[in-house]
Amino acid sequence: MIGSSFKLPKDLYSLRIIPETFTWDNYNAIFEKAPFANWIGHTVAIALITTVTVLIFDTAVGYVLAKFSFAGKAVIFLFIISTLMVPTEMLIIPWYLIATELGWSDTYWGVLFPGIITAFGIFLMRQFMDSLPSELLDAARIDGLNEWGVLLRIAIPIVKPAIVTLMILTFIGSWNQFIWPLIVLQTETRFTLPVGIVYFSSELKDSSNWLLIMTGATVSIVPLILVFLIFQKQIIRGIALNGMK
């Protein structure tokens, strides 16, 4: 795919992975033929906002469910976990009705609202928070920290691997999100990158434009490759810890 994005049209069906002649024309062409810059910007913004909100809400809820005692806690946690058994496809119609009723159709908030808090993230953080020694948290409270201080200065630094894991998985999941943005967004310039690439591919009639499709796919995957290269150690460590947990 990456090699084809640098090929000339005459080399489209060449079996060589590395093209004989490199060209940047395909990259210039996709930005001229479609609003790729808009799609990239929107996807980055949505992925970052989703990641930040998930980290904030899921970490806080996981901490409460792990370290506070109150009536109905087990029922609430069971209810949250039970939502993981509901396929996303079954939630799309309720999401769409909510977005339409509130005027969020074809808006970025319409894309964002289903993912600002996740059951998986709450489960992950709750399991890690549950392993924290309660005596350590009580000592921090005796020293004068309020609950936000205990969470921010004691709990979060200890469960940092889980937070990094949740951050990476959320960013990648949001970046690759396709079905929901496809349904809620109608304006071409507001598409996210996965939706935009499919739309762009459907608009190309000439078979030689497979080069442009390969180029668009390369553009969409490069940020994820960079995320992996930067956080490689944390990803592997987080997956290992998550598996043991």
Side-chain angles (χ1 to χ4, degrees):
M1 179 185 70
I2 296 173
S4 295
S5 70
F6 292 103
K7 287 181 178 179
L8 296 171
K10 66 182 181 66
D11 298 325
L12 173 60
Y13 297 108
S14 170
L15 296 181
R16 293 176 60 91
I17 296 178
I18 300 176
E20 294 183 14
T21 304
F22 279 82
T23 177
W24 289 95
D25 291 346
N26 296 323
Y27 288 90
N28 294 330
I30 63 170
F31 284 95
E32 292 173 359
K33 293 178 178 289
F36 262 85
N38 287 350
W39 297 344
I40 294 171
H42 301 160
T43 307
V44 169
I46 289 171
L48 289 177
I49 293 172
T50 301
T51 301
V52 170
T53 56
V54 164
L55 291 179
I56 293 173
F57 292 123
D58 289 6
T59 301
V61 174
Y63 175 71
V64 169
L65 291 175
K67 292 303 176 183
F68 283 75
S69 297
F70 54 90
K73 182 175 78 168
V75 175
I76 293 173
F77 183 62
L78 181 63
F79 175 77
I80 292 172
I81 294 303
S82 67
T83 63
L84 291 172
M85 296 184 288
V86 181
T88 302
E89 290 76 10
M90 293 182 63
L91 299 172
I92 286 177
I93 292 177
W95 287 348
Y96 186 77
L97 294 176
I98 292 172
T100 303
E101 185 70 22
L102 297 176
W104 294 343
S105 180
D106 200 26
T107 66
Y108 302 126
W109 178 243
V111 178
L112 285 166
F113 84 88
I116 60 176
I117 185 170
T118 64
F120 168 76
I122 292 173
F123 171 73
L124 179 67
M125 297 311 302
R126 187 263 184 188
Q127 295 301 97
F128 274 87
M129 291 291 187
D130 195 47
S131 65
L132 295 177
S134 297
E135 296 81 5
L136 179 63
L137 305 182
D138 290 338
R141 296 185 183 103
I142 292 173
D143 287 339
L145 284 181
N146 57 24
E147 289 304 328
W148 282 111
V150 173
L151 174 62
L152 295 175
R153 299 178 62 179
I154 306 298
I156 287 181
I158 297 176
V159 298
K160 183 180 177 181
I163 292 176
V164 173
T165 301
L166 180 60
M167 177 187 73
I168 294 168
L169 295 178
T170 302
F171 183 87
I172 292 174
S174 179
W175 185 276
N176 288 328
Q177 190 177 196
F178 175 71
I179 295 294
W180 176 238
L182 175 67
I183 292 173
V184 77
L185 296 175
Q186 289 88 44
T187 305
E188 177 186 350
T189 55
R190 295 181 180 178
F191 287 164
T192 58
L193 196 51
V195 177
I197 288 176
V198 172
Y199 175 80
F200 178 67
S201 303
S202 66
E203 292 295 304
L204 298 176
K205 307 300 181 184
D206 187 353
S207 61
S208 66
N209 282 317
W210 275 108
L211 291 176
L212 301 185
I213 294 174
M214 293 291 186
T215 306
T218 300
V219 169
S220 72
I221 204 69
V222 164
L224 297 185
I225 294 175
L226 293 177
V227 167
F228 177 77
L229 292 177
I230 294 171
F231 296 103
Q232 185 176 160
K233 292 182 179 179
Q234 289 85 346
I235 292 174
I236 295 172
R237 182 183 179 189
I239 292 174
L241 290 174
N242 191 25
M244 289 188 294
K245 181 59 64 176

